[in-house]
Amino acid sequence: MKGKEDEAVKGVIYTKEEYIKAQVAFFQAHATKQPLLLGMEFEHFLLDRETLRSYDYFEENGQKQLMEALAQRDWKILTQEDDYILGLEKNGDTITLEPGGQVEISLRPLSSVVEIEKHYLEVIEAIYEVLKPNQIIAGIGYHPVTQIEQLSLLPKKRYALMYDYFIDNGIYCHNMMKGTAATQVSIDYKDEDDFIKKFRVANYISPALASLFDATPFFEGEPTDGKNMRARIWAQTDVKRSKLIPGSLTTLFDFKSYADYLLKLPPILLYSEGELIYSKEEPLVSSLSKYPFLASELEHHQSMVFPDVRLKRFIEIRMPDSLPFPYNLAVGAIVKAVFYTPALLEKYYQSSLLFDDAWVESQNLNLREFSDEALSTSLESLKQSLIEDAIETLEPDEKIYVAQFQAVCDKYGSMNAYLLNQHDQSIDLFAKTIEIRRQ
């Protein structure tokens, strides 16, 4: 995280108050006067078309060779450790690798879901230019066949230290790192008041988004026992840094609240004047008196917590699974409708005032029970409202993404049920369903 502007500058020892002030100033500095852009991240698996097994980073035609092949074209190396290429960039879009070899495409911020589709498919096509004919890039929430113990951990020091830390911090921590794939959307805020409203709404609708975009029909090589496997995995992944941040709906949660939240947790890893430090279980507040931090290194602390809704330079919405194309674009379309339509944002904000942390936590618990009967009427109503309001509000060229998604859910009951149906019909049909390719 060492930035060029800090190379000749010494880090400073922060007091708690100074640290909170610095993080608040960071959040204020990244407010946007006209917040209209969406940042979308799509995680995928590199699979064999016939067997659906996942590729290992180190094997022949694995992710190592994929990244090397792209780097030999016009993709610039963004991240590299030793001789291992782990991140690439071109025109503001990036291809990076997650701990289990998941291929993540992060797009430049764009204002239209139609634009997002265009750039997303351009990156996908660039990847296919270097893949073998038997390989596919797949959108699904978990490896369909391969178990995580069969896959190497990527050769990144940060991942190795996190993997070690997670051994005693939840039974599904390693499954989260090496086994899951997600669709994430980032939104801007214009000031602190706008952040407060959007952060509250995002947490309020988080169980609904998790339920709507459940696309994990398999877990460790077997059909999942019910629904919402992603919710179950994250509930057993170092819960103090995952799911709902305490106070998100119960209190007025502002920039200072978020900075205070960061201080209470162990960051696992720290950068101090460019040096990587394994801080293990030590809360960040205890590290302040020990290590000098460059201004650029404070941003790293924001990336070491994994709640459903996260604040960095923007607000990240992180609940949905990876989904097949074009249904993954429905995530961005719904988020755009809710957060960038003032009337809808106000509607959901006012609705959220009727609920608190306990309600969100109860709905997340219900999701883990994975039965339709367990979901409350209020959550089912919320899910339907999100769909209907997005279709009502968006322009025709964007509402189509939500309508396509709704059509599948209406026919099969859910995206998860649709994927299981395709698999039950044939492996070939399932592979074609989850393969990300221009239609």
Side-chain angles (χ1 to χ4, degrees):
M1 295 297 296
K2 187 174 182 180
K4 291 182 180 179
E5 74 278 7
D6 295 317
E7 288 177 354
V9 180
K10 290 286 187 180
V12 299
I13 299 288
Y14 287 88
T15 65
K16 178 180 178 180
E17 292 72 22
E18 290 168 340
Y19 180 88
I20 290 175
K21 184 178 180 180
Q23 287 286 17
V24 168
F26 177 93
F27 299 140
Q28 291 172 334
H30 287 92
T32 303
K33 288 185 178 179
Q34 292 184 315
L36 297 171
L37 299 180
L38 295 172
M40 289 201 71
E41 298 180 2
F42 304 90
E43 295 175 352
H44 315 84
F45 297 111
L46 177 60
L47 304 180
D48 178 83
R49 185 185 304 276
E50 294 184 359
T51 67
L52 300 180
R53 75 168 185 85
S54 301
Y55 275 79
D56 186 272
Y57 176 83
F58 294 101
E59 72 172 284
E60 184 177 1
N61 300 322
Q63 291 87 332
K64 179 178 183 293
Q65 289 183 225
L66 166 64
M67 300 296 273
E68 291 170 348
L70 288 167
Q72 290 174 4
R73 300 199 171 205
D74 49 358
W75 286 82
K76 176 184 176 182
I77 296 176
L78 183 67
T79 308
Q80 185 171 9
E81 292 197 13
D82 298 325
D83 294 326
Y84 302 116
I85 300 173
L86 304 175
L88 299 165
E89 184 272 335
K90 179 182 176 182
N91 298 328
D93 301 325
T94 66
I95 302 172
T96 56
L97 298 177
E98 294 296 297
Q102 302 96 317
V103 179
E104 179 182 291
I105 296 173
S106 300
L107 301 179
R108 71 199 81 172
L110 297 163
S111 61
S112 162
V113 184
V114 175
E115 289 182 284
I116 289 171
E117 177 184 1
K118 175 180 178 293
H119 289 280
Y120 175 51
L121 291 177
E122 286 176 354
V123 178
I124 287 290
E125 289 171 359
I127 293 174
Y128 269 97
E129 289 175 1
V130 299
L131 290 185
K132 301 301 178 183
N134 66 308
Q135 294 180 307
I136 66 172
I137 294 293
I140 189 173
Y142 201 91
H143 299 284
V145 170
T146 304
Q147 299 179 19
I148 61 168
E149 291 304 317
Q150 298 171 297
L151 295 170
S152 302
L153 186 68
L154 255 66
K156 189 173 184 178
K157 187 175 181 181
R158 168 174 167 166
Y159 290 162
L161 293 175
M162 290 176 63
Y163 205 76
D164 180 63
Y165 168 85
F166 279 141
I167 288 173
D168 299 318
N169 281 281
I171 62 172
Y172 286 149
C173 286
H174 291 166
N175 299 91
M176 178 278 292
M177 288 186 70
K178 293 173 68 176
T180 60
T183 305
Q184 299 178 5
V185 187
S186 298
I187 55 173
D188 293 320
Y189 52 90
K190 64 181 178 181
D191 52 32
E192 188 168 21
D193 287 341
D194 192 42
F195 160 76
I196 291 170
K197 180 174 287 189
K198 287 175 176 172
F199 187 76
R200 183 183 182 93
V201 169
N203 281 286
Y204 164 57
I205 68 173
S206 62
L209 292 179
S211 181
L212 277 173
F213 297 114
D214 170 27
T216 301
F218 299 99
F219 178 72
E220 290 297 275
E222 299 291 338
T224 50
D225 181 16
K227 303 176 182 179
N228 305 305
M229 192 66 213
R230 182 177 182 84
R232 284 180 272 165
I233 290 172
W234 277 104
Q236 297 291 337
T237 297
D238 198 16
V239 69
K240 60 183 175 292
R241 76 179 66 248
S242 305
K243 300 306 293 175
L244 182 73
I245 300 176
S248 295
L249 278 81
T250 301
T251 63
L252 181 68
F253 203 92
D254 55 13
F255 289 153
K256 182 177 180 297
S257 303
Y258 201 94
D260 190 59
Y261 159 73
L262 295 176
L263 285 170
K264 293 175 181 176
L265 297 177
I268 307 176
L269 310 172
L270 295 168
Y271 286 92
S272 175
E273 296 181 326
E275 179 184 356
L276 179 63
I277 296 167
Y278 183 27
S279 56
K280 299 182 180 181
E281 297 283 357
E282 183 175 51
L284 178 57
V285 67
S286 300
S287 299
L288 294 183
S289 61
K290 296 182 179 182
Y291 305 111
F293 297 119
L294 304 173
S296 60
E297 291 170 337
L298 299 188
E299 193 172 356
H300 166 76
H301 305 158
Q302 302 162 14
S303 70
M304 294 307 297
V305 295
F306 315 124
D308 282 345
V309 185
R310 181 164 70 176
L311 175 61
K312 296 164 69 176
R313 294 168 180 253
F314 33 72
I315 302 169
E316 279 186 348
I317 296 172
R318 300 161 40 83
M319 296 72 70
D321 275 328
S322 176
L323 298 104
F325 172 82
Y327 310 113
N328 48 9
L329 295 173
V331 181
I334 289 175
V335 168
K336 178 181 179 178
V338 170
F339 291 94
Y340 289 158
T341 305
L344 278 189
L345 178 62
E346 183 63 23
K347 170 186 172 178
Y348 285 102
Y349 177 70
Q350 292 298 325
S351 295
S352 77
L353 296 177
L354 302 175
F355 300 94
D356 58 11
D357 287 10
W359 181 82
V360 175
E361 289 169 347
S362 71
Q363 299 313 303
N364 284 330
L365 177 61
N366 289 342
L367 291 180
R368 300 198 297 273
E369 297 293 331
F370 56 79
S371 68
D372 292 332
E373 293 76 13
L375 298 182
S376 70
T377 302
S378 55
L379 184 63
E380 285 298 316
S381 176
L382 177 56
K383 289 165 59 179
Q384 190 61 34
S385 292
L386 290 170
I387 295 286
E388 292 175 354
D389 285 340
I391 291 176
E392 176 71 21
T393 304
L394 293 167
E395 295 297 322
D397 60 354
E398 292 189 315
K399 69 175 61 179
I400 186 64
Y401 302 112
V402 185
Q404 290 172 324
F405 175 81
Q406 182 188 36
V408 169
C409 293
D410 286 348
K411 181 176 181 178
Y412 296 94
S414 67
M415 179 58 59
N416 201 55
Y418 167 63
L419 294 175
L420 281 171
N421 176 273
Q422 302 299 88
H423 182 271
D424 289 345
Q425 290 191 55
S426 76
I427 297 298
D428 180 62
L429 179 60
F430 182 71
K432 289 178 180 177
T433 300
I434 63 176
E435 181 179 9
I436 308 292
R437 293 300 295 266
R438 188 184 298 275
Q439 294 183 339

